[in-house]
Amino acid sequence: MNVEISTDKTRLDVAMIHRFLAEDSYWVRSIERRDVECCIENSFCFGVYLDGEQVGFARLVTDFVRFAHLMDVFILPAHRGLGFSKLLMQQIISHPKLKTITRYTLGTSDAHGLYRQFGFVAPAHPERQMERLTPGA
């Protein structure tokens, strides 16, 4: 079993990523393929490959200096429980292009345990955090 993490966007299986996000995710169900393509184009992406086949994905919206927001992290259901998400997170946190990042953020409903292993905690000062949500989005 050969597991590889790559940031090469040309290797990404965009059809698989779109299918998972649109059909299986809870956070962007029904997203259009063109929107997934735009997200990939404008993000720093990581693919997880098992024997050359993509089985996972994550992307960061980042300035590559101080800030990165982690998004769309998933491992396909058939490949969960094998440590791939931990390997993916290790690669993200230690990536040379992200070495100066001082603030990572993310949103999750169900993977708090995973992210805590990599130093993620609730915001220290939630009173300083704000968000703007578009109605119906």
Side-chain angles (χ1 to χ4, degrees):
M1 179 166 70
N2 182 30
V3 180
E4 181 185 3
I5 309 287
S6 173
T7 58
D8 180 355
K9 288 184 185 180
T10 65
R11 293 186 61 190
L12 294 173
D13 182 343
V14 178
M16 179 278 290
I17 295 167
H18 172 250
R19 188 170 44 256
F20 179 87
L21 293 174
E23 298 173 9
D24 297 327
S25 78
Y26 62 81
W27 58 93
V28 287
R29 193 169 295 253
S30 300
I31 190 170
E32 298 287 333
R33 179 172 171 136
R34 70 179 178 276
D35 292 335
V36 171
E37 291 169 355
C38 186
C39 289
I40 289 170
E41 179 182 336
N42 292 292
S43 299
F44 187 43
C45 300
F46 290 76
V48 181
Y49 302 89
L50 177 60
D51 297 327
E53 178 186 350
Q54 188 173 358
V55 299
F57 178 75
R59 68 185 183 92
L60 291 124
V61 177
T62 182
D63 61 11
F64 291 101
V65 178
R66 297 185 59 208
F67 176 79
H69 186 74
L70 183 60
M71 302 180 75
D72 296 337
V73 180
F74 69 86
I75 301 295
L76 292 175
H79 302 284
R80 292 181 184 162
L82 302 172
F84 298 155
S85 61
K86 290 178 186 177
L87 181 62
L88 174 59
M89 288 303 301
Q90 288 168 348
Q91 292 290 315
I92 291 169
I93 297 300
S94 66
H95 196 282
K97 285 187 175 181
L98 303 171
K99 68 182 177 187
T100 63
I101 300 298
T102 58
R103 179 178 301 262
Y104 284 89
T105 60
L106 63 84
T108 186
S109 290
D110 61 357
H112 296 79
L114 169 66
Y115 298 119
R116 278 189 197 104
Q117 294 175 54
F118 295 93
F120 286 86
V121 297
H125 300 282
E127 69 278 7
R128 295 183 191 170
Q129 305 296 309
M130 296 181 74
E131 65 182 3
R132 180 180 180 272
L133 301 175
T134 303

